[in-house]
Amino acid sequence: MRQSFDETADPSFGEKHLPLIRKAMAAQGLDGFLVPHEDEHQNEYLPAANDRLAWATGFTGSAGAAVILKDKAAVFVDGRYTLQARDQVDARLFELRDLVEGGVTGYLETAAGQGQTIGFDPRLHAPDAVEKLRAAAARAGAQLRAVDPNPLDQAWGAERPAQPKAAVVPHPL
């Protein structure tokens, strides 16, 4: 179990960050926001500065996602992380759901409302994933909208760790 943030042991972790994210969402006219685990390079293992899912939810596994809506939120993990997610994520704030069975698209179809706008950071989603998410939102009567800046990044603000600055190292073929 990888720990990116010392705060994950703090029971008020989600209570501190969720309102900040929702405030940033509201400022952009969003009813919801998608939080993938991936970063701009689709990496599985992230530096602390890019571990948005961990900062938002407390979950530090290497695969997962979250959907944050105005009045509810859900964290999605696969079977490898079921127990870890129960330990790290506040179930009063986030519904724990399966990443594979139904997943984010299934949740959007049932949780997003008619006329709602769900934001996503286009740097963090593969194009084929965006099309599936867009279709799921449309089935709910909602729309998916690419946003810049990322409201989670805005909420994280100055407390966000610095990006790593290690030198690039060439590897032999």
Side-chain angles (χ1 to χ4, degrees):
M1 174 167 54
R2 184 179 60 80
Q3 295 281 331
S4 296
F5 299 96
D6 293 334
E7 290 184 87
T8 57
D10 182 350
S12 64
F13 188 81
E15 290 176 299
K16 291 189 290 188
H17 298 165
L18 208 49
L20 297 172
I21 297 166
R22 286 183 169 137
K23 182 178 178 183
M25 287 169 32
Q28 292 189 35
L30 300 175
D31 300 294
F33 187 69
L34 306 178
V35 184
H37 178 266
E38 293 78 19
D39 67 1
E40 296 83 347
H41 308 287
Q42 300 297 297
N43 287 318
E44 180 178 0
Y45 299 102
L46 304 174
N50 293 345
D51 205 344
R52 294 170 178 91
L53 184 62
W55 185 82
T57 69
F59 174 67
T60 62
S62 66
V67 176
I68 299 172
L69 301 173
K70 285 180 175 181
D71 59 348
K72 57 187 165 188
V75 172
F76 302 82
V77 299
D78 65 31
R80 298 172 294 169
Y81 293 112
T82 303
L83 297 176
Q84 180 178 340
R86 283 188 201 144
D87 288 343
Q88 292 181 326
V89 177
D90 187 339
R92 295 172 302 137
L93 302 173
F94 294 93
E95 179 183 352
L96 295 177
R97 298 185 61 118
D98 190 282
L99 183 63
V100 179
E101 296 298 320
V104 174
T105 56
Y107 184 77
L108 280 177
E109 289 178 19
T110 60
Q114 183 73 30
Q116 288 189 326
T117 300
I118 310 299
F120 74 99
D121 184 333
R123 302 168 304 147
L124 308 180
H125 298 268
D128 61 329
V130 170
E131 289 312 310
K132 291 175 186 171
L133 292 164
R134 193 177 306 283
R139 287 190 288 276
Q143 68 170 330
L144 200 63
R145 185 174 85 201
V147 296
D148 184 26
N150 180 322
L152 190 151
D153 291 351
Q154 287 183 307
W156 202 345
E159 293 181 16
R160 186 174 180 184
Q163 291 289 340
K165 294 185 180 183
V168 173
V169 179
H171 294 276
L173 293 177

